[in-house]
Amino acid sequence: EVQLLESGGGLVQPGGSLRLSCAASGFTFRSEAMSWVRQVPGKGLESVAFLGFIAGRPEYADSVRGRFTISRDNSKNTLYLQMNSLTAEDTAVYYCAKGTGASSTFDSWGQGTLVTVSS
Amino acid sequence: DIQMTQSPASLSASVGDRVTITCRASQSIVIDVNWYQHKPGKAPKLLIYAASNLQSGVPSRFSGSGSGTEFTLTINSLQPEDFAIYYCQQSHTTPTFGQGTKVE
């Protein structure tokens, strides 16, 4: 059974940093693309960062490019999202999502971790 | 980035109704569109991939169609558990989602 377990969310001040982790199990992590998708309260889903299973060029939403960095450690079956220069607009539930092969078709999702940016 | 425009933003339906949601892409994405169901406090769930393929375990009352720039999700005989928000998403380039359709 595929399991994705996010951690690292919490309260952070504007301008601060946070690193999210997603521990994956139940599938061959190194063979699947992965993504971070967020939902701002009352708004829709937004894919903020996407990374193929080969350590190629990550893809970012315009709203986070230059501030967020997605990475993966295939030896630890873990996906990361380093978030810097956070603003109130980054307050959201962040989901870890598994792609299918190289595709950004997300067939499994974690339960999400809440990030709140507030002073 | 490719923009995905969903309509309607919300709709009111009853159990047993047929529901249709439309998604339009800002450029051709062939058949690279997926549909998800999202309920409050839960993880999104993949329903349809590559425009018309039913994800394993998803009831057959859900179906998808379309190609190019116009896509449709249909729910035949709406069930109580289907009241949720539905999103389209393109996987042709950097992934983007539609704004969502609330079925209430």
Side-chain angles (χ1 to χ4, degrees):
Chain A
E1 179 191 3
V2 172
Q3 291 196 353
L4 300 169
L5 184 60
E6 302 98 337
S7 61
L11 177 64
V12 60
Q13 292 191 338
S17 298
L18 212 56
R19 188 176 86 153
L20 305 183
S21 299
C22 172
S25 62
F27 65 100
T28 306
F29 180 74
R30 65 178 181 274
S31 298
E32 308 285 6
M34 299 292 296
S35 184
W36 289 97
V37 179
R38 71 182 180 185
Q39 183 178 33
V40 172
K43 299 280 184 72
L45 299 174
E46 178 186 26
S47 175
V48 296
F50 174 79
L51 186 61
F53 60 87
I54 299 172
R57 180 177 60 91
E59 298 171 15
Y60 298 98
D62 290 343
S63 57
V64 307
R65 189 175 291 115
R67 300 187 299 121
F68 289 13
T69 302
I70 186 172
S71 62
R72 63 193 298 161
D73 186 337
N74 289 339
S75 68
K76 295 183 178 179
N77 288 352
T78 302
L79 181 74
Y80 302 100
L81 185 67
Q82 177 67 43
M83 303 185 294
N84 299 329
S85 303
L86 286 162
T87 72
E89 287 67 42
D90 296 315
T91 294
V93 175
Y94 285 75
Y95 296 98
C96 170
K98 170 187 164 296
T100 51
S103 166
S104 58
T105 297
F106 304 125
D107 63 357
S108 296
W109 298 66
Q111 288 301 308
T113 186
L114 177 62
V115 172
T116 302
V117 184
S118 175
S119 55
Chain B
D1 288 354
I2 296 174
Q3 307 301 316
M4 303 295 285
T5 304
Q6 255 181 270
S7 60
S10 66
L11 64 89
S12 181
S14 301
V15 172
D17 284 353
R18 185 185 192 200
V19 169
T20 300
I21 299 168
T22 298
C23 192
R24 179 177 289 115
S26 58
Q27 65 186 72
S28 177
I29 55 173
V30 195
I31 59 166
D32 297 336
V33 72
N34 310 301
W35 291 93
Y36 301 85
Q37 178 191 69
H38 194 198
K39 297 181 179 179
K42 297 214 168 181
K45 176 184 177 182
L46 176 65
L47 301 174
I48 301 287
Y49 64 94
S52 61
N53 294 275
L54 193 67
Q55 174 69 354
S56 176
V58 174
S60 59
R61 63 181 179 273
F62 291 93
S63 64
S65 65
S67 65
T69 61
E70 297 275 343
F71 302 90
T72 300
L73 173 71
T74 300
I75 311 172
N76 284 304
S77 189
L78 193 72
Q79 297 301 299
E81 60 269 28
D82 300 335
F83 290 94
I85 301 175
Y86 293 86
Y87 294 92
C88 62
Q89 174 242 333
Q90 62 83 15
S91 54
H92 191 68
T93 62
T94 303
T96 50
F97 288 84
Q99 305 96 314
T101 296
K102 185 175 185 179
V103 177
E104 54 190 355

